[in-house]
Amino acid sequence: LWLSQRRTPLKPSLRRFPWPLPSLQMPVEVYLICHSTAVVACGEMTLLFDYSEKVCGRAVRELTVRALSGRSTVALFSHAHGDHFDIAVRTLPGVELFVLPPDVPESEEKLLTPSIKVKVRDERELPGGLSLKTYPSTDEGVAYLIEGPNGGRVFFAGDLALWAWPGDEEEDIRKAIEEWKSILKEVSKELVDVAFLVADPRLPHLGGFEEALDALKPRHAFPIHNFGNLEYLKRLWREGVHVPTSLGEKFRLILPF
């Protein structure tokens, strides 16, 4: 009964246990390519998030192709900023579907086929038995929650973060914190297995990485939005927080994806 009910996507009531039963666990590979480009691979299906060569250059393509390894791929973009979206994604092999945010220009949308365009608080079915749900961002576009056929959930923040900069007006900071905490509260209603969370080195608080971690309580967390700078990430390491030491690093997890 539990497995058959999984056909209804993203229903919190179906997660009757804090984490899924051991029999549903399977190997999942996570690759942190560069900045916010990341790959989640399970079996023959792969998710590619926020592909862009504009931060770390052409090395991103080589590392991504290696991670995709010929598997069917769904490429998702959180928003159209250059460090999160690159039309060069259309040259990657094996991309079965492009999932585009609201702010991608129509001229570029036409070059990415087949594609779907999502909006904030959207829900869609994806290839491979995957389900998708979107959340607001504190910048442009959306954040994603992807659920696999066995109930495992991956949250990708995109640019959902606390964008409170030194020197900002006190009222602007208050509003930024309020908006960010409101969205985190909304997302925290879901159980999250893997979370990609902003840890931006330009901000003293890294965009609220620690607070987002405490709010969502994922089993596994990966810092993104690092501009290819990995040195500062070492201070984030602890059980369940996976910190890369090189671009394109692979992490092996066991999840119910």
Side-chain angles (χ1 to χ4, degrees):
L1 175 61
W2 191 85
L3 278 176
S4 65
Q5 285 179 320
R6 289 302 318 121
R7 296 181 182 276
T8 304
L10 297 165
K11 299 292 185 183
S13 61
L14 299 179
R15 294 293 289 265
R16 298 176 182 173
F17 307 98
W19 304 112
L21 299 175
S23 61
L24 301 174
Q25 310 284 313
M26 60 186 65
V28 175
E29 296 175 349
V30 174
Y31 299 80
L32 291 180
I33 305 298
C34 173
H35 188 53
S36 294
T37 302
V39 171
V40 178
C42 182
E44 296 303 311
M45 178 55 68
T46 303
L47 301 172
L48 169 62
F49 291 102
D50 280 9
Y51 180 84
S52 177
E53 301 174 9
K54 297 173 183 176
V55 176
C56 297
R58 291 288 291 177
V60 171
R61 177 182 172 81
E62 180 182 341
L63 293 169
T64 301
V65 169
R66 189 182 307 163
L68 299 183
S69 188
R71 290 173 285 218
S72 297
T73 299
V74 176
L76 304 100
F77 294 94
S78 61
H79 61 295
H81 288 173
D83 58 326
H84 292 261
F85 174 80
D86 193 333
I87 197 65
V89 71
R90 64 180 177 156
T91 67
L92 294 178
V95 178
E96 185 176 330
L97 179 68
F98 299 94
V99 180
L100 306 177
D103 59 334
V104 168
E106 186 177 344
S107 59
E108 295 190 313
E109 181 183 356
K110 290 178 179 178
L111 299 175
L112 299 173
T113 57
S115 68
I116 59 172
K117 204 167 201 177
V118 296
K119 57 185 186 293
V120 175
R121 295 189 177 91
D122 209 345
E123 293 193 24
R124 301 290 188 98
E125 295 293 316
L126 299 177
L130 303 175
S131 299
L132 168 154
K133 186 175 183 179
T134 64
Y135 290 89
S137 175
T138 46
D139 196 348
E140 300 292 335
V142 298
Y144 287 108
L145 182 68
I146 309 296
E147 183 171 318
N150 291 321
R153 291 174 178 172
V154 175
F155 178 74
F156 186 82
D159 259 2
L160 172 60
L162 176 56
W163 299 115
W165 300 88
D168 281 354
E169 295 290 336
E170 189 173 316
E171 179 63 13
D172 292 337
I173 293 175
R174 185 193 66 78
K175 288 180 179 178
I177 292 173
E178 186 177 272
E179 179 188 20
W180 173 67
K181 285 188 173 181
S182 174
I183 298 171
L184 282 184
K185 184 177 180 179
E186 186 178 344
V187 180
S188 69
K189 295 175 183 177
E190 306 282 1
L191 290 176
V192 175
D193 296 287
V194 176
F196 296 90
L197 303 173
V198 171
D200 191 307
R202 301 172 298 173
L203 290 160
H205 47 75
L206 303 181
F209 178 85
E210 298 285 355
E211 291 85 351
L213 196 64
D214 289 342
L216 302 188
K217 297 178 173 57
R219 296 174 72 186
H220 302 277
F222 295 87
I224 58 172
H225 219 273
N226 54 51
F227 296 94
N229 173 9
L230 307 182
E231 187 63 28
Y232 78 97
L233 295 176
K234 292 177 182 177
R235 71 180 194 255
L236 300 178
W237 183 88
R238 78 200 68 167
E239 184 177 359
V241 177
H242 304 274
V243 175
T245 57
S246 61
L247 298 182
E249 186 165 346
K250 176 168 69 173
F251 299 85
R252 291 184 174 90
L253 312 176
I254 301 296
L255 294 172
F257 198 62

Coordinates of all heavy atoms in Angstrom, one line a residue, residues 116-183:
I116 N 9.8 22.4 -20.5 CA 8.6 22.9 -19.8 C 9.1 24.1 -19.0 O 10.2 24.2 -18.6 CB 8.0 21.8 -18.9 CG1 9.0 21.4 -17.8 CG2 7.5 20.7 -19.6 CD1 8.4 20.5 -16.7
K117 N 8.2 25.1 -18.9 CA 8.4 26.3 -18.1 C 7.6 26.3 -16.8 O 6.3 26.1 -16.9 CB 8.2 27.5 -18.9 CG 8.9 28.7 -18.5 CD 8.8 29.8 -19.6 CE 9.9 30.8 -19.4 NZ 9.9 31.9 -20.4
V118 N 8.2 26.4 -15.7 CA 7.5 26.3 -14.4 C 7.3 27.7 -13.9 O 8.0 28.7 -14.3 CB 8.2 25.4 -13.4 CG1 8.3 24.0 -13.9 CG2 9.6 26.0 -13.1
K119 N 6.4 27.8 -12.9 CA 6.2 29.0 -12.2 C 6.3 28.8 -10.7 O 6.5 27.6 -10.3 CB 4.8 29.6 -12.5 CG 3.6 28.7 -12.2 CD 2.3 29.3 -12.7 CE 1.1 28.4 -12.2 NZ 1.1 27.1 -12.9
V120 N 6.2 29.8 -9.9 CA 6.3 29.6 -8.5 C 5.1 28.8 -8.0 O 4.0 29.0 -8.4 CB 6.4 31.0 -7.8 CG1 6.4 30.8 -6.3 CG2 7.7 31.7 -8.2
R121 N 5.4 27.9 -7.0 CA 4.4 27.0 -6.4 C 3.7 26.2 -7.5 O 2.5 26.0 -7.5 CB 3.4 27.8 -5.6 CG 4.0 28.5 -4.4 CD 3.0 29.1 -3.4 NE 3.7 29.6 -2.2 CZ 4.1 30.9 -2.1 NH1 3.9 31.7 -3.1 NH2 4.7 31.3 -1.0
D122 N 4.5 25.7 -8.4 CA 4.1 24.8 -9.4 C 4.3 23.3 -9.0 O 5.1 23.0 -8.2 CB 4.9 25.1 -10.7 CG 4.1 24.8 -12.0 OD1 3.1 24.1 -11.9 OD2 4.6 25.2 -13.1
E123 N 3.6 22.4 -9.6 CA 3.8 21.0 -9.4 C 3.7 20.3 -10.8 O 2.7 20.5 -11.5 CB 2.8 20.4 -8.5 CG 2.9 20.9 -7.0 CD 2.1 20.0 -6.0 OE1 1.9 18.8 -6.3 OE2 1.8 20.6 -5.0
R124 N 4.7 19.4 -11.1 CA 4.7 18.8 -12.4 C 5.2 17.3 -12.2 O 5.9 17.0 -11.3 CB 5.7 19.5 -13.3 CG 5.4 21.0 -13.6 CD 4.1 21.1 -14.5 NE 4.0 22.5 -14.9 CZ 4.3 23.0 -16.1 NH1 4.9 22.2 -17.0 NH2 4.2 24.3 -16.4
E125 N 4.9 16.5 -13.2 CA 5.4 15.2 -13.3 C 6.6 15.2 -14.3 O 6.5 15.9 -15.3 CB 4.4 14.2 -13.9 CG 3.2 14.0 -13.0 CD 3.6 13.3 -11.7 OE1 4.3 12.3 -11.8 OE2 3.1 13.7 -10.6
L126 N 7.7 14.5 -14.0 CA 8.9 14.4 -14.8 C 9.1 13.0 -15.3 O 8.6 12.0 -14.7 CB 10.1 14.9 -14.0 CG 10.0 16.4 -13.5 CD1 11.2 16.7 -12.7 CD2 9.9 17.4 -14.7
P127 N 10.0 12.8 -16.3 CA 10.3 11.4 -16.7 C 10.9 10.6 -15.5 O 11.5 11.2 -14.6 CB 11.4 11.7 -17.8 CG 11.1 13.1 -18.3 CD 10.6 13.8 -17.1
G128 N 10.8 9.3 -15.7 CA 11.4 8.4 -14.7 C 10.7 8.3 -13.4 O 11.2 7.9 -12.4
G129 N 9.4 8.7 -13.4 CA 8.6 8.6 -12.1 C 8.9 9.7 -11.1 O 8.5 9.6 -10.0
L130 N 9.6 10.8 -11.6 CA 9.9 11.9 -10.7 C 8.7 12.9 -10.6 O 8.0 13.1 -11.6 CB 11.1 12.6 -11.2 CG 12.4 11.8 -11.4 CD1 13.5 12.6 -12.0 CD2 12.9 11.2 -10.0
S131 N 8.6 13.6 -9.5 CA 7.7 14.7 -9.3 C 8.4 16.0 -8.9 O 9.5 15.9 -8.3 CB 6.7 14.4 -8.2 OG 5.9 13.2 -8.6
L132 N 7.9 17.1 -9.3 CA 8.6 18.4 -9.1 C 7.6 19.3 -8.4 O 6.4 19.4 -8.7 CB 9.0 18.9 -10.4 CG 9.5 20.4 -10.5 CD1 10.5 20.5 -11.7 CD2 8.3 21.4 -10.7
K133 N 8.1 20.1 -7.4 CA 7.4 21.2 -6.8 C 8.3 22.4 -6.7 O 9.5 22.2 -6.4 CB 6.9 20.7 -5.4 CG 6.0 21.7 -4.7 CD 5.6 21.1 -3.4 CE 4.6 22.0 -2.6 NZ 4.1 21.3 -1.4
T134 N 7.8 23.6 -7.0 CA 8.6 24.8 -6.9 C 8.2 25.7 -5.7 O 7.0 25.7 -5.3 CB 8.6 25.6 -8.2 OG1 7.2 26.1 -8.3 CG2 8.9 24.8 -9.4
Y135 N 9.2 26.4 -5.2 CA 9.0 27.4 -4.2 C 9.5 28.7 -4.6 O 10.3 28.8 -5.5 CB 9.7 26.9 -2.9 CG 9.2 25.7 -2.2 CD1 9.6 24.4 -2.6 CD2 8.2 25.8 -1.3 CE1 9.0 23.3 -2.1 CE2 7.6 24.7 -0.7 CZ 8.1 23.4 -1.1 OH 7.5 22.3 -0.5
P136 N 9.1 29.8 -3.9 CA 9.6 31.1 -4.2 C 11.1 31.2 -3.9 O 11.6 30.4 -3.1 CB 8.8 32.1 -3.3 CG 7.7 31.3 -2.8 CD 8.1 29.8 -2.8
S137 N 11.7 32.2 -4.6 CA 13.1 32.5 -4.3 C 13.2 33.9 -3.6 O 12.2 34.7 -3.7 CB 14.0 32.5 -5.5 OG 15.3 32.9 -5.3
T138 N 14.3 34.2 -2.9 CA 14.5 35.5 -2.4 C 15.2 36.4 -3.4 O 15.5 37.6 -3.1 CB 15.2 35.5 -1.1 OG1 16.4 34.6 -1.2 CG2 14.3 35.0 0.0
D139 N 15.5 35.8 -4.6 CA 16.0 36.6 -5.7 C 15.1 36.4 -6.9 O 13.9 36.6 -6.9 CB 17.5 36.2 -6.0 CG 18.2 37.2 -6.8 OD1 17.6 38.1 -7.4 OD2 19.5 37.1 -6.9
E140 N 15.7 35.9 -8.0 CA 14.9 35.5 -9.2 C 14.5 34.1 -9.2 O 15.2 33.2 -8.6 CB 15.6 35.9 -10.5 CG 16.0 37.4 -10.6 CD 14.8 38.3 -10.8 OE1 13.8 37.8 -11.3 OE2 14.9 39.4 -10.4
G141 N 13.5 33.7 -10.0 CA 13.2 32.3 -10.3 C 12.6 31.6 -9.1 O 11.7 32.1 -8.4
V142 N 13.0 30.3 -9.0 CA 12.3 29.4 -8.1 C 13.4 28.5 -7.4 O 14.6 28.4 -7.8 CB 11.4 28.4 -8.9 CG1 10.2 29.2 -9.5 CG2 12.1 27.6 -9.9
A143 N 12.9 27.8 -6.4 CA 13.7 26.7 -5.7 C 12.9 25.5 -6.0 O 11.7 25.5 -6.3 CB 13.8 26.9 -4.2
Y144 N 13.6 24.3 -6.1 CA 13.0 23.1 -6.5 C 13.0 22.0 -5.4 O 13.9 21.9 -4.6 CB 13.8 22.4 -7.6 CG 13.6 23.1 -9.0 CD1 14.6 23.9 -9.5 CD2 12.4 23.0 -9.7 CE1 14.5 24.5 -10.8 CE2 12.3 23.6 -10.9 CZ 13.3 24.4 -11.4 OH 13.2 25.0 -12.7
L145 N 11.9 21.3 -5.3 CA 11.8 20.0 -4.5 C 11.5 18.9 -5.5 O 10.4 18.9 -6.1 CB 10.8 20.1 -3.4 CG 10.7 18.9 -2.5 CD1 12.0 18.7 -1.7 CD2 9.5 19.0 -1.6
I146 N 12.4 18.0 -5.6 CA 12.2 16.8 -6.6 C 12.0 15.6 -5.7 O 12.8 15.3 -4.8 CB 13.4 16.6 -7.5 CG1 13.8 17.9 -8.2 CG2 13.1 15.5 -8.5 CD1 12.8 18.5 -9.1
E147 N 11.0 14.8 -6.1 CA 10.7 13.6 -5.4 C 10.8 12.4 -6.3 O 10.3 12.4 -7.4 CB 9.3 13.6 -4.8 CG 9.0 12.3 -4.0 CD 7.7 12.4 -3.2 OE1 7.4 13.5 -2.6 OE2 6.9 11.4 -3.2
G148 N 11.6 11.4 -5.9 CA 11.8 10.2 -6.7 C 10.7 9.2 -6.5 O 9.8 9.3 -5.6
P149 N 10.6 8.2 -7.3 CA 9.5 7.2 -7.3 C 9.4 6.4 -6.0 O 8.4 5.9 -5.6 CB 9.8 6.3 -8.5 CG 11.3 6.5 -8.8 CD 11.6 7.9 -8.4
N150 N 10.6 6.4 -5.2 CA 10.5 5.7 -3.9 C 10.4 6.6 -2.8 O 10.5 6.2 -1.6 CB 11.8 4.9 -3.8 CG 11.9 3.7 -4.7 OD1 10.8 3.0 -4.9 ND2 13.0 3.4 -5.3
G151 N 10.1 7.9 -3.1 CA 9.8 8.9 -2.0 C 11.0 9.7 -1.5 O 10.8 10.6 -0.7
G152 N 12.2 9.5 -2.0 CA 13.3 10.4 -1.7 C 13.2 11.8 -2.2 O 12.6 11.9 -3.3
R153 N 13.6 12.8 -1.5 CA 13.4 14.2 -1.9 C 14.7 14.9 -1.9 O 15.5 14.9 -1.0 CB 12.4 14.8 -1.0 CG 11.0 14.3 -1.1 CD 10.1 14.9 -0.1 NE 8.7 14.4 -0.3 CZ 7.7 14.6 0.5 NH1 7.9 15.2 1.6 NH2 6.5 14.1 0.3
V154 N 14.9 15.7 -3.0 CA 16.0 16.5 -3.2 C 15.6 18.0 -3.3 O 14.7 18.3 -4.1 CB 16.8 16.2 -4.5 CG1 17.9 17.1 -4.8 CG2 17.3 14.7 -4.4
F155 N 16.1 18.9 -2.4 CA 15.8 20.3 -2.5 C 17.0 21.0 -3.0 O 18.1 20.9 -2.6 CB 15.5 20.8 -1.1 CG 15.2 22.3 -1.1 CD1 13.9 22.7 -1.5 CD2 16.1 23.2 -0.6 CE1 13.7 24.1 -1.5 CE2 15.8 24.5 -0.6 CZ 14.6 25.0 -1.0
F156 N 16.7 21.9 -4.1 CA 17.7 22.7 -4.7 C 17.3 24.2 -4.5 O 16.3 24.6 -5.0 CB 17.9 22.4 -6.1 CG 19.1 23.1 -6.8 CD1 20.4 22.6 -6.7 CD2 18.8 24.3 -7.5 CE1 21.4 23.3 -7.2 CE2 19.9 24.9 -8.1 CZ 21.2 24.4 -8.0
A157 N 18.1 24.9 -3.8 CA 17.8 26.3 -3.4 C 17.9 27.3 -4.5 O 17.2 28.3 -4.5 CB 18.6 26.8 -2.2
G158 N 18.8 27.1 -5.5 CA 19.0 28.1 -6.5 C 19.5 29.4 -5.8 O 20.6 29.3 -5.2
D159 N 18.8 30.5 -5.9 CA 19.2 31.7 -5.2 C 18.3 32.0 -4.0 O 18.2 33.2 -3.6 CB 19.2 32.9 -6.2 CG 20.6 33.2 -6.7 OD1 21.6 32.5 -6.3 OD2 20.8 34.2 -7.5
L160 N 17.7 31.0 -3.4 CA 17.0 31.2 -2.2 C 18.0 31.3 -1.1 O 18.6 30.3 -0.7 CB 16.0 30.0 -2.0 CG 15.3 30.0 -0.6 CD1 14.5 31.3 -0.4 CD2 14.5 28.7 -0.5
A161 N 18.1 32.5 -0.5 CA 19.1 32.7 0.5 C 18.8 34.0 1.2 O 17.9 34.8 0.8 CB 20.5 32.8 -0.1
L162 N 19.6 34.3 2.3 CA 19.4 35.6 3.0 C 20.3 36.6 2.3 O 21.5 36.6 2.6 CB 19.7 35.4 4.5 CG 19.7 36.7 5.3 CD1 18.4 37.4 5.2 CD2 20.1 36.4 6.7
W163 N 19.8 37.4 1.4 CA 20.6 38.4 0.7 C 20.6 39.7 1.5 O 19.9 40.7 1.1 CB 20.1 38.6 -0.7 CG 20.1 37.3 -1.5 CD1 19.1 36.6 -2.0 CD2 21.3 36.6 -1.9 NE1 19.5 35.5 -2.7 CE2 20.9 35.5 -2.6 CE3 22.7 36.8 -1.7 CZ2 21.8 34.6 -3.2 CZ3 23.6 35.9 -2.2 CH2 23.2 34.8 -3.0
A164 N 21.2 39.7 2.7 CA 21.4 40.9 3.5 C 22.8 41.3 3.5 O 23.7 40.5 4.0 CB 20.9 40.6 4.9
W165 N 23.1 42.4 2.9 CA 24.5 42.8 2.6 C 25.0 43.8 3.7 O 24.2 44.6 4.1 CB 24.7 43.4 1.2 CG 24.3 42.4 0.2 CD1 23.1 42.2 -0.4 CD2 25.2 41.5 -0.5 NE1 23.1 41.2 -1.3 CE2 24.4 40.8 -1.4 CE3 26.5 41.2 -0.4 CZ2 24.9 39.8 -2.3 CZ3 27.1 40.2 -1.2 CH2 26.3 39.5 -2.2
P166 N 26.3 43.8 4.0 CA 26.8 44.8 4.9 C 26.6 46.2 4.3 O 26.8 46.4 3.1 CB 28.3 44.5 5.0 CG 28.4 43.0 4.6 CD 27.3 42.8 3.7
G167 N 26.1 47.1 5.1 CA 25.8 48.4 4.6 C 24.3 48.6 4.2 O 23.9 49.8 3.9
D168 N 23.6 47.5 4.1 CA 22.1 47.7 3.7 C 21.4 48.5 4.8 O 21.8 48.4 6.0 CB 21.5 46.3 3.5 CG 21.8 45.7 2.2 OD1 22.4 46.3 1.4 OD2 21.4 44.5 2.0
E169 N 20.3 49.1 4.4 CA 19.5 49.8 5.4 C 18.9 48.8 6.3 O 18.5 47.7 5.9 CB 18.4 50.6 4.6 CG 18.9 51.7 3.8 CD 19.4 52.9 4.6 OE1 19.0 53.0 5.8 OE2 20.3 53.7 4.1
E170 N 18.7 49.2 7.6 CA 18.1 48.3 8.6 C 16.8 47.8 8.2 O 16.5 46.6 8.4 CB 18.0 49.1 9.9 CG 17.7 48.2 11.1 CD 17.7 48.9 12.4 OE1 18.7 49.7 12.6 OE2 16.8 48.7 13.2
E171 N 15.9 48.6 7.6 CA 14.6 48.1 7.2 C 14.7 47.1 6.0 O 13.9 46.1 6.0 CB 13.8 49.3 6.7 CG 12.4 49.0 6.2 CD 11.5 48.3 7.3 OE1 11.8 48.4 8.5 OE2 10.4 47.8 7.0
D172 N 15.6 47.3 5.1 CA 15.8 46.4 4.0 C 16.3 45.0 4.5 O 15.9 43.9 4.1 CB 16.9 46.9 3.0 CG 16.4 48.1 2.2 OD1 15.1 48.3 2.2 OD2 17.2 48.9 1.7
I173 N 17.2 45.0 5.5 CA 17.6 43.8 6.1 C 16.5 43.1 6.8 O 16.3 41.9 6.7 CB 18.8 44.1 7.1 CG1 20.0 44.6 6.4 CG2 19.1 42.8 7.9 CD1 21.2 45.0 7.3
R174 N 15.7 43.8 7.6 CA 14.5 43.2 8.3 C 13.6 42.5 7.3 O 13.1 41.4 7.5 CB 13.8 44.3 9.0 CG 12.6 43.8 9.9 CD 11.7 44.8 10.4 NE 11.0 45.5 9.3 CZ 9.9 45.0 8.7 NH1 9.5 43.8 9.1 NH2 9.3 45.7 7.8
K175 N 13.3 43.2 6.2 CA 12.4 42.6 5.2 C 13.0 41.4 4.5 O 12.3 40.4 4.2 CB 12.1 43.7 4.1 CG 11.2 44.8 4.6 CD 10.9 45.8 3.4 CE 9.9 46.9 3.9 NZ 9.7 47.9 2.8
A176 N 14.3 41.4 4.2 CA 15.0 40.3 3.6 C 15.0 39.1 4.6 O 14.7 38.0 4.1 CB 16.5 40.6 3.3
I177 N 15.2 39.3 5.9 CA 15.1 38.2 6.8 C 13.7 37.6 6.9 O 13.5 36.4 6.9 CB 15.6 38.7 8.2 CG1 17.1 39.0 8.2 CG2 15.3 37.6 9.3 CD1 17.7 39.6 9.4
E178 N 12.8 38.5 6.9 CA 11.3 38.1 7.1 C 10.9 37.3 5.9 O 10.3 36.2 6.0 CB 10.5 39.4 7.2 CG 9.0 39.1 7.4 CD 8.2 40.4 7.6 OE1 8.1 40.9 8.7 OE2 7.7 40.9 6.6
E179 N 11.3 37.7 4.7 CA 10.9 37.0 3.4 C 11.6 35.6 3.4 O 10.9 34.6 3.1 CB 11.3 37.8 2.2 CG 10.9 37.0 0.9 CD 11.5 37.7 -0.3 OE1 12.4 38.6 -0.2 OE2 11.0 37.5 -1.4
W180 N 12.8 35.6 3.7 CA 13.6 34.3 3.7 C 13.1 33.3 4.7 O 12.9 32.2 4.4 CB 15.1 34.7 3.9 CG 16.0 33.6 4.1 CD1 16.4 32.7 3.2 CD2 16.8 33.3 5.3 NE1 17.4 31.8 3.7 CE2 17.6 32.2 5.0 CE3 16.8 33.8 6.6 CZ2 18.4 31.6 6.0 CZ3 17.6 33.3 7.5 CH2 18.4 32.2 7.2
K181 N 12.9 33.8 5.9 CA 12.4 32.9 7.0 C 11.0 32.3 6.6 O 10.7 31.2 6.9 CB 12.3 33.6 8.3 CG 13.7 33.7 8.9 CD 13.6 34.2 10.4 CE 15.0 34.2 11.0 NZ 15.0 34.7 12.4
S182 N 10.2 33.2 6.0 CA 8.8 32.7 5.6 C 8.9 31.6 4.6 O 8.1 30.6 4.7 CB 8.0 33.9 5.0 OG 6.8 33.5 4.5
I183 N 9.8 31.7 3.6 CA 9.9 30.6 2.6 C 10.5 29.4 3.2 O 10.1 28.3 2.9 CB 10.8 31.1 1.4 CG1 10.1 32.3 0.7 CG2 11.0 30.0 0.4 CD1 11.0 33.0 -0.3

